[in-house]
Amino acid sequence: MPNEHLPRNTILTGDCIEVMQSLPASSVDLVFADPPYNLQLNGELWRPNVTRVDAVDDAWDQFDNFASYDAFTRAWLAAARRLLKPSGTLWVIGSYHNIYRVGSILQDLGFWILNDVVWVKTNPMPNFRGVRFANAHETLIWASRAKGARYTFNYHAMKPFNHDKQMRSDWLLPICTGAERIKEDGSKAHSTQKPEALLYRVLLASSNPGDVVLDPFFGSGTTGAVAKALHRDWLGIEREPAYIKLAKARIDAIDPAPLDKAVFDVRDRRRSAPRVSFARLVEAGYLKPGDALSFRKQRNATAFVRADGKLLHCGEAGSIHQLAKALAGGPCNGWDQWYYEDEDGELQPLDRLRERYRVEVGHQEKGV
């Protein structure tokens, strides 16, 4: 079945394993899965004040034993891996009850773990009996389809969520409460509804507009709601009619802003731009052998351009990155650290010269 026959922006009814096996292989860019936790609850939970805890006691979370849960996990993970494009990735979220079993099985199937992300809940449910620590987090595993596979990671887009520093793997976010929590007759419509902020980070980090995002345990439709708002195509699989009804109504009510690549496409411009070597700038005459470059605008820290596209500093020759690393005392990007003198005698970062080359020459060349 060709990829163009993959349904999009709809909810498919049925068992997730059977439905996934009916879909075309290598057709999905991202899978987000929130599978059953297999909490193994025996009876109801009660608070010390003799009020019942609204816990996860749904039929879909019931398994006879660990072996049956493992077989189920292996089957849906294998089906999801078949659907992923070679560049696709999988996110799966779970609690301590299931995430370690899921992680082991996905490794057995050939997935390659990229990160485990800890969702630290700002308002977790307390441990009412006081016999354990309060469960204040859940774990997300992010994995590529195979070791060494290329995948989407919008690194720079995530930095604003951590005060413009490298995004960390601990995410401090509240659980789903208030107006966002879908209720029916005053009770939670879904026992494990995830906050939209969590899915926002997942989709922004690892997908782009137009990508297909699959959620095989669609539930209340959080994945579809966020995907629609961010102009990702989505596909949900759900077997419970009540959940399908509320998810459809929720997503239909979303009216996303018109697609504007400048707004929704957060890929790093420099990473997606054609590659340009420093030697190419020298060869094309944008710099000449013997020209001086200053390190971090320090005119006394000068290197000279060599004819082979390397720099010469205090008798040592190396690439713009090697010499920048030596002067900085650690890894850094030479394009940002070295400065050239423009026509007005002002020092400008070398990256600006590279951008000028891309505008004036690069568009004429393929694969530079």
Side-chain angles (χ1 to χ4, degrees):
M1 184 186 299
N3 288 357
E4 56 265 25
H5 290 168
L6 178 79
R8 298 177 182 228
N9 305 318
T10 190
I11 306 172
L12 302 179
T13 305
D15 175 80
C16 70
I17 298 169
E18 295 177 359
V19 173
M20 282 193 285
Q21 289 173 340
S22 72
L23 298 175
S26 302
S27 58
V28 170
D29 298 284
L30 181 69
V31 173
F32 178 84
D34 184 9
Y37 293 163
N38 190 27
L39 294 183
Q40 311 122 47
L41 293 180
N42 295 315
E44 297 179 337
L45 296 179
W46 295 84
R47 300 181 180 88
N49 64 358
V50 200
T51 57
R52 182 178 175 274
V53 178
D54 188 10
V56 183
D57 54 4
D58 307 84
W60 49 257
D61 198 55
Q62 308 298 318
F63 291 84
D64 292 336
N65 48 45
F66 286 129
S68 63
Y69 184 78
D70 290 352
F72 164 75
T73 300
R74 184 175 295 274
W76 78 256
L77 279 172
R81 189 169 185 269
R82 186 186 72 86
L83 290 181
L84 279 173
K85 297 177 182 178
S87 59
T89 57
L90 164 85
W91 288 82
V92 58
I93 186 170
S95 70
Y96 71 87
H97 302 86
N98 70 326
I99 197 64
Y100 301 107
R101 309 186 79 85
V102 172
S104 175
I105 293 170
L106 68 82
Q107 286 183 310
D108 289 343
L109 291 173
F111 285 98
W112 186 256
I113 294 178
L114 300 169
N115 276 114
D116 64 333
V117 173
V118 180
W119 167 30
V120 181
K121 303 174 182 179
T122 59
N123 51 345
M125 180 183 294
N127 186 277
F128 295 106
R129 292 189 294 171
V131 296
R132 302 183 187 181
F133 298 111
N135 297 322
H137 76 277
E138 291 186 37
T139 301
L140 299 92
I141 296 176
W142 181 37
S144 60
R145 192 178 182 279
K147 182 180 180 181
R150 296 179 64 87
Y151 56 90
T152 295
F153 179 41
N154 295 318
Y155 167 81
H156 289 280
M158 301 308 293
K159 293 176 72 174
F161 296 91
N162 191 37
H163 309 291
D164 286 327
K165 296 179 181 178
Q166 186 178 58
M167 188 59 177
R168 295 159 51 107
S169 62
D170 52 341
W171 296 356
L172 190 66
L173 295 167
I175 63 174
C176 188
T177 57
E180 184 183 343
R181 189 89 205 197
I182 302 174
K183 294 186 177 182
E184 291 182 331
D185 299 325
S187 300
K188 293 185 294 186
H190 193 286
S191 55
T192 63
Q193 182 182 342
K194 295 300 182 289
E196 292 188 5
L198 183 69
L199 270 297
Y200 192 96
R201 288 193 184 184
V202 167
L203 298 191
L204 195 69
S206 51
S207 70
N208 295 306
D211 283 356
V212 178
V213 181
L214 168 69
D215 186 336
F217 307 96
F218 204 57
S220 62
T222 303
T223 302
V226 177
K228 182 178 180 180
L230 290 176
H231 287 279
R232 275 71 168 162
D233 287 337
W234 57 271
L235 179 60
I237 304 174
E238 181 53 56
R239 67 183 186 185
E240 302 292 336
Y243 293 162
I244 293 173
K245 181 180 178 181
L246 68 89
K248 189 176 186 305
R250 176 185 184 184
I251 296 169
D252 286 346
I254 294 173
D255 184 18
L259 177 59
D260 181 343
K261 284 192 174 182
V263 174
F264 289 97
D265 193 337
V266 298
R267 284 173 285 191
D268 180 38
R269 175 183 51 80
R270 292 184 298 180
R271 289 193 177 192
S272 60
R275 295 179 63 85
V276 177
S277 68
F278 180 70
R280 186 70 189 95
L281 296 184
V282 179
E283 182 182 51
Y286 282 72
L287 289 168
K288 296 180 174 60
D291 282 351
L293 298 182
S294 299
F295 182 72
R296 293 179 176 173
K297 288 191 174 182
Q298 302 172 27
R299 292 187 182 268
N300 60 338
T302 303
F304 297 93
V305 178
R306 290 198 350 168
D308 61 356
K310 293 184 177 180
L311 296 184
L312 185 65
H313 174 74
C314 296
E316 296 292 329
S319 70
I320 58 173
H321 306 299
Q322 291 169 336
L323 288 185
K325 178 181 177 180
L327 289 170
C332 57
N333 189 336
W335 292 105
D336 299 325
Q337 304 299 318
W338 290 105
Y339 286 72
Y340 71 99
E341 191 173 281
D342 66 13
E343 295 83 354
D344 299 322
E346 298 292 329
L347 290 179
Q348 304 291 349
L350 197 57
D351 188 49
R352 181 169 297 183
L353 197 63
R354 178 171 61 166
E355 286 303 305
R356 180 180 147 197
Y357 172 89
R358 282 178 172 146
V359 171
E360 296 176 351
V361 180
H363 69 281
Q364 302 172 12
E365 303 175 353
K366 297 290 186 180
V368 175

